[in-house]
Amino acid sequence: MIKFTRKETIRFRHVDFAGIVFYPRFLEMLNDLVEDWFEEALDRPFSKIHETNGIPTVDLKVQFKNPARIGDELTKSLWVENLGKASVECGFTFVHSNGNICLEGHVTLVNVTMDKETSKIKAEPFSDETRRRIEAYLLKQDTGR
């Protein structure tokens, strides 16, 4: 398993009056990480995906462990914990340069398309190529064998 990792420096736009990251900004940073992963590692830029499909977040669990302040550098990492036919559950962490975890959690994304006859959104299986690329980030479970 490999992790998709990017660094981000906390800027003025991320913080509130107290100088710490305003919690919704963490979710924007997470979405940026997901978009970068799809573009750089999976070769599926959101600009192309959203011409015909989408990748909505359908479940999100977040734990805020430590605050981040303006000027801090975070290492944001994402990996795959479960891959379904049309869904992918990822784990993620944001870690301070001092090693303290700032944020951790899980996000579930689903590959969807619009049914042209009914105008309803429905899950669509990932292509074989996309599955192959996602599998490189899959956390291998220890079976004890």
Side-chain angles (χ1 to χ4, degrees):
M1 176 209 50
I2 56 176
K3 292 182 180 180
F4 182 80
T5 302
R6 292 292 171 269
K7 294 195 182 288
E8 182 152 357
T9 300
I10 302 304
R11 299 175 180 270
F12 177 74
R13 67 183 168 100
H14 295 128
V15 300
D16 60 17
F17 185 69
I20 60 174
V21 174
F22 181 49
Y23 74 93
R25 300 297 162 259
F26 280 125
L27 303 182
E28 291 171 347
M29 288 183 238
L30 173 61
N31 193 72
D32 291 346
L33 183 63
V34 168
E35 281 193 53
D36 291 345
W37 181 53
F38 268 81
E39 182 166 352
E40 297 171 27
L42 306 183
D43 197 28
R44 292 195 66 207
F46 272 34
S47 60
K48 296 292 183 201
I49 290 173
H50 285 89
E51 290 175 357
T52 58
N53 290 58
I55 305 286
T57 296
V58 298
D59 191 46
L60 179 62
K61 294 175 181 71
V62 178
Q63 290 187 332
F64 301 95
K65 300 287 191 176
N66 289 290
R69 300 183 185 287
I70 192 167
D72 288 351
E73 183 177 74
L74 302 180
T75 299
K76 307 182 301 181
S77 298
L78 175 136
W79 60 91
V80 175
E81 295 187 338
N82 188 34
L83 176 58
K85 290 181 183 178
S87 65
V88 59
E89 181 182 350
C90 298
F92 61 88
T93 59
F94 290 15
V95 180
H96 287 130
S97 56
N98 66 11
N100 290 334
I101 294 175
C102 180
L103 181 81
E104 65 183 2
H106 304 274
V107 60
T108 302
L109 310 164
V110 176
N111 190 51
V112 298
T113 189
M114 173 86 69
D115 184 311
K116 292 178 181 161
E117 292 180 19
T118 64
S119 296
K120 291 187 178 181
I121 295 173
K122 64 178 184 173
E124 179 175 85
F126 290 113
S127 70
D128 290 342
E129 177 63 19
T130 298
R131 288 187 68 74
R132 184 185 66 72
R133 290 174 185 259
I134 291 172
E135 286 172 348
Y137 295 87
L138 186 60
L139 175 67
K140 304 295 185 204
Q141 300 296 322
D142 183 7
T143 60
R145 296 182 191 169

